[in-house]
Amino acid sequence: MWLQAQKVQAYMVPDSAVTEGWLGFSFLARLCRLCLYTHRRMAITAEDVCLDRVLLIQEGFAVEEVPPENNLQIPGSDVTVQVTSGGASLLVRLPFGSHTQTFLREVRRRCSPGKKDATAADPEQSAAGEVTGAPRLKTANKMVPSSSVPASGPTQGLSTRPCGLRDTLVKSLLKQKESSYTHLQNFRFFVGTYNVNGQSPRGSLRPWLSQDGEPPDIYCVGFQELDLSKEAFFFNDTPKEEEWFKAVTESLHPGAKYAKVKLVRLVGILLLLYVRTELAMNISEVEAETVGTGIMGRMGNKGGVAIRFQFHNSTVCVVNAHLAAHPEEYERRNQEVRDICARMQFHPLEPGCPLLAIKEHDVVLWLGDLNYRLEEQDMERVKKLIQTQDFQALHQHDQLKIQREAKLVFEGFQEGEISFQPTYKYNPGSDDWDDSAECRVPAWCDRILWSGKTVSLLSYQSHMALKNSDHKPVSAIFDVGVKVVDKKSYCKAFEGIVRSLDKMENASIPSVTLSKREFLFKDVKYLQLQVESFTISNGPVPCQFEFISKPNEDAYCKPWLIAKPSKGFLMPDSEVVIALELCVNKSTATALNSGEEKLEDILVLHLDRGKDYFLSVSGNYLPSCFGCPIQTLCYMKEPIREMLPEAIRELTLMPLLTDDAFWEEKPLDVPKELWMMVDLLCRSACHQEGLFQQPGLRPEFEQIRDWLDTGTLDVLGPVASNHSVAEALLLFLESLPEPVVCYKSYRSSLECANSYEMSSQVISMLPKCHQNVFHYLVAFLRELLKHTGKNHLDVNVLGKEIRMRDKATCFRTWSSPVLLGGRDRKNSVLYQYA
């Protein structure tokens, strides 16, 4: 069997057409090959993907970079490569980033000259015969321009190998002395944001992008709601990306020439980065990431995209966000900003280096449709203040201003004075305020903020000339002080550091002091994070530390525990705080409920060239219905917290029964916890719009979990919102160790998905408790579908939301989009029942 070693997204470039696909590298014994897979636009099933061609890595194999137009090499931009093997040739464009770097590194490693297990011809794919020599891997200059070090010249002397102790120390000392070999130079940044409401561009964008007399050095242009179609949402694919990219490119300032550095998109959130061509070689370490915060807290209809890069010796991160709508959702918007900051992490190009967060950059530029509104303002009063241009009085009621002053969001960020009228909501095609039935109150939804000590705002304005959306575009122009390296000063600092390190070489063994070695986590609950911290204080010798795995173990800790950071470097007489985070989730809850596993672990902290330190971790876990098998819960007449550990263990470990003869006492038809949640939703949420689509609130979920586990309340209604109960229901189903449709029935469920009778037979073969739960849930879904006129739910929407809960949900066996009603919903098991 061929083993897939690496794969990377690729765009085949034959003539003027561009076909999207994947380039995979695989091997079998001594054979290696590159496979190009192509797929149709908006691929759904495996049938939509095909193997386009295979290139054997044999004698004559070569990979050459195709120079871009005008020979302009931009570190961080996509790279086009020509792959040849024998008489076959392939021209592909690979996206820049750590994934491409890893892919090319793997190809080089397995196919480098002198590697004996390189390749031989595959008789099924080629008639070239046996290999007579080692393959060669050619590059024109370099395969991908190196961006692991700044492109300003002097710093290219630093090693790009994985960081050793000496290399790390040199870099740390150079960072400390950075002010001695760099000086600040101002560069002009244009930052723009525009919610286009799903419209295509009409006319030039120069009234927005080129209104200033002096051309910017760097453009950061963001869009929201690029495409509002279902295809864009479900498949993250839209032709409007190319339309707006072309419109922006043609509307950049005519006083300079620009090159695209990076484009990143998540559904309708698009971010473009351009740089003046003469400055392109000063851009390096370009990475892009996306975070979805929309439906279920993960989907990309809301969220953020970001591009980070190094410009000379300064690091810059640009974030484009589209946050939750509606005036009353300001707390959710605050949470989404926190989620984006927490989950947006950039992978460094050097292996082994820690991930980079947004706030770990010298300059952060945050733009987008942040959707903050005006607090409880009368429409007529707002229009009157706008007419008199009393924006300062109106701004006092701005939610973003209020939340920032309370330090609840965007702490450490700044925003310029708002001297323009609200940018939302207009009648498309005009400058008239919204006169629809909704009659939205005007608001400054579209904003630009920044953080950084060397940033100064030159202008902040909206642009009324663009009228094809219900929003107006906004722009800000900044002077950003960038650290530029002086070559002579850098060499002097580098040589001084090397000389001082040479003098420090001795046989000293590093040693540290730990502020704490025993950690007790009390009353741990399901999906509730607990954190214990301790301090590592270093002695006079610099050292690297890392938590290492114990003998015969794959990881350094149990799956419910993580150390942050798990490795690092300490300068002499410095210290670092380590956080031990404990969280029990669906993968660990079952064994902890039954008592098969305990919250006990030993961590080994290893010092490079030093000794090991041992840390003891223990705690007690409060059993939860989350993570319990359905059968176990049906036999539990009391709340799980009131049961003895021995009884929980016996019920959890008993085999899955096809009837109820194992116990004298008759079990419940369905788990009481499931009944409580479904009963509440049936009584109060059948008309709820957005059910299962809007995330619940974390504090409310924790209350629901505790009430289900302790039985302190018989009714959940007065204490939890419908969305939080729906979220808890999905998390409950997701945590089941055995899905409602059991694993052993998976294949037969797929085979009979187009027949109600055959599907019924599969359900009838399930254990009795699983049958009951299945029919109970389907009846609940039917009840929701009776009210589709008010809750706007249908089979496709319900199938989509349930499918998003991972493959461990109750409808695990119908996780294929087609089986859930994609292109032929009448061949769906879910459709047969709903």
Side-chain angles (χ1 to χ4, degrees), residues 184-250:
L184 288 180
Q185 180 177 336
N186 281 340
F187 291 89
R188 180 159 292 200
F189 281 59
F190 175 96
V191 180
T193 178
Y194 192 10
N195 182 319
V196 296
N197 193 31
Q199 303 300 310
S200 295
R202 295 197 295 267
S204 174
L205 301 180
R206 283 193 175 175
W208 171 38
L209 301 177
S210 305
Q211 90 289 355
D212 198 48
E214 182 179 343
D217 297 305
I218 287 181
Y219 271 99
C220 311
V221 184
F223 295 95
Q224 305 83 39
E225 294 190 359
L226 198 74
D227 192 333
L228 300 177
S229 67
K230 290 183 179 179
E231 290 78 12
F233 174 71
F234 283 107
F235 306 107
N236 195 24
D237 192 6
T238 172
K240 293 189 178 180
E241 175 185 306
E242 184 64 28
E243 294 176 10
W244 283 101
F245 167 64
K246 182 179 179 182
V248 171
T249 303
E250 293 175 350

Side-chain angles (χ1 to χ4, degrees), residues 405-596:
E405 289 178 347
K407 297 186 177 180
L408 297 176
V409 71
F410 285 116
E411 191 170 0
F413 281 81
Q414 301 179 60
E415 184 182 18
E417 179 182 352
I418 293 183
S419 58
F420 51 88
Q421 69 182 49
T423 58
Y424 175 86
K425 178 179 183 181
Y426 295 86
N427 291 327
S430 73
D431 292 334
D432 300 328
W433 297 112
D434 176 31
D435 57 9
S436 66
E438 297 174 338
C439 197
R440 303 288 191 190
V441 176
W444 287 289
C445 291
D446 310 278
R447 310 290 273 269
I448 298 173
L449 300 93
W450 78 91
S451 70
K453 298 179 180 179
T454 62
V455 182
S456 60
L457 178 67
L458 300 181
S459 70
Y460 189 27
Q461 58 185 312
S462 66
H463 300 270
M464 302 295 291
L466 274 68
K467 306 178 188 295
N468 58 329
S469 172
D470 56 356
H471 290 248
K472 297 298 182 182
V474 173
S475 70
I477 297 179
F478 299 96
D479 264 348
V480 179
V482 174
K483 293 175 285 189
V484 178
V485 173
D486 178 77
K487 188 172 182 178
K488 291 183 179 179
S489 301
Y490 172 84
C491 292
K492 182 179 179 180
F494 181 80
E495 291 168 359
I497 290 171
V498 172
R499 282 195 300 268
S500 65
L501 289 179
D502 291 340
K503 295 178 182 179
M504 289 175 57
E505 287 185 352
N506 51 57
S508 298
I509 298 176
S511 63
V512 299
T513 302
L514 307 184
S515 63
K516 191 177 180 181
R517 298 198 189 189
E518 295 184 355
F519 303 89
L520 176 62
F521 293 86
K522 296 182 179 180
D523 297 337
V524 177
K525 300 178 181 179
Y526 182 79
L527 283 187
Q528 185 163 312
L529 178 69
Q530 286 197 27
V531 182
E532 292 283 340
S533 301
F534 70 99
T535 302
I536 303 177
S537 301
N538 192 26
V541 179
C543 74
Q544 286 190 145
F545 67 88
E546 181 178 6
F547 288 97
I548 60 173
S549 58
K550 299 178 284 293
N552 302 321
E553 294 188 8
D554 296 329
Y556 70 84
C557 65
K558 296 291 180 65
W560 37 262
L561 185 67
I562 188 171
K564 291 185 177 180
S566 62
K567 57 184 175 181
F569 173 77
L570 283 171
M571 295 289 288
D573 301 317
S574 63
E575 58 184 33
V576 64
V577 176
I578 305 295
L580 298 181
E581 298 183 354
L582 189 152
C583 185
V584 176
N585 57 25
K586 62 181 180 181
S587 65
T588 55
T590 304
L592 290 169
N593 279 334
S594 67
E596 295 175 278

Side-chain angles (χ1 to χ4, degrees), residues 43-208:
I44 297 178
T45 66
E47 287 74 16
D48 298 321
V49 181
C50 65
L51 178 62
D52 185 270
R53 67 187 73 180
V54 175
L55 293 180
L56 290 171
I57 301 178
Q58 56 184 333
E59 177 65 20
F61 176 83
V63 177
E64 294 181 293
E65 180 181 345
V66 178
E69 296 181 8
N70 304 323
N71 257 349
L72 179 62
Q73 297 278 354
I74 304 176
S77 61
D78 297 344
V79 59
T80 303
V81 295
Q82 181 83 39
V83 184
T84 56
S85 178
S89 178
L90 178 66
L91 186 65
V92 293
R93 189 176 81 244
L94 306 179
F96 184 82
S98 54
H99 298 297
T100 296
Q101 291 276 342
T102 303
F103 176 82
L104 296 172
R105 191 182 303 119
E106 181 69 12
V107 173
R108 292 190 187 100
R109 185 178 72 83
R110 291 191 174 272
C111 309
S112 58
K115 188 173 180 65
K116 293 184 179 181
D117 66 340
T119 58
D122 186 343
E124 296 180 1
Q125 302 289 346
S126 171
E130 295 184 355
V131 175
T132 58
R136 56 195 176 92
L137 194 64
K138 296 195 303 183
T139 60
N141 298 325
K142 292 182 179 179
M143 173 64 67
V144 175
S146 174
S147 63
S148 57
V149 295
S152 49
T155 50
Q156 292 177 358
L158 293 177
S159 171
T160 60
R161 296 177 290 106
C163 302
L165 175 61
R166 186 180 178 90
D167 293 333
T168 304
L169 183 57
V170 169
K171 290 183 178 180
S172 297
L173 293 173
L174 277 171
K175 187 67 177 176
Q176 292 180 8
K177 295 178 176 292
E178 188 177 46
S179 60
S180 68
Y181 60 84
T182 62
H183 65 275
L184 288 180
Q185 180 177 336
N186 281 340
F187 291 89
R188 180 159 292 200
F189 281 59
F190 175 96
V191 180
T193 178
Y194 192 10
N195 182 319
V196 296
N197 193 31
Q199 303 300 310
S200 295
R202 295 197 295 267
S204 174
L205 301 180
R206 283 193 175 175
W208 171 38

Side-chain angles (χ1 to χ4, degrees), residues 675-735:
W675 176 84
M676 291 176 68
M677 291 185 284
V678 172
D679 179 66
L680 173 61
L681 292 174
C682 281
R683 286 187 288 106
S684 63
C686 285
H687 297 171
Q688 179 71 59
E689 186 176 353
L691 194 65
F692 293 114
Q693 300 174 70
Q694 180 173 320
L697 297 176
R698 172 61 59 174
E700 290 188 357
F701 164 73
E702 293 175 353
Q703 288 180 310
I704 295 170
R705 175 204 58 211
D706 291 344
W707 292 324
L708 294 175
D709 292 340
T710 61
T712 52
L713 284 179
D714 293 330
V715 181
L716 297 178
V719 290
S721 69
N722 293 332
H723 295 298
S724 296
V725 177
E727 175 83 0
L729 174 60
L730 292 180
L731 288 172
F732 174 82
L733 296 173
E734 185 182 28
S735 71

Side-chain angles (χ1 to χ4, degrees), residues 749-756 759 814 816-832:
S749 298
L750 293 177
E751 292 172 351
C752 69
N754 60 350
S755 168
Y756 178 85
S759 298
W814 309 314
S816 163
V818 173
L819 296 178
L820 279 170
R823 290 173 297 173
D824 186 9
R825 74 186 190 102
K826 291 190 177 180
N827 289 334
S828 162
V829 173
L830 184 58
Y831 180 81
Q832 301 294 341

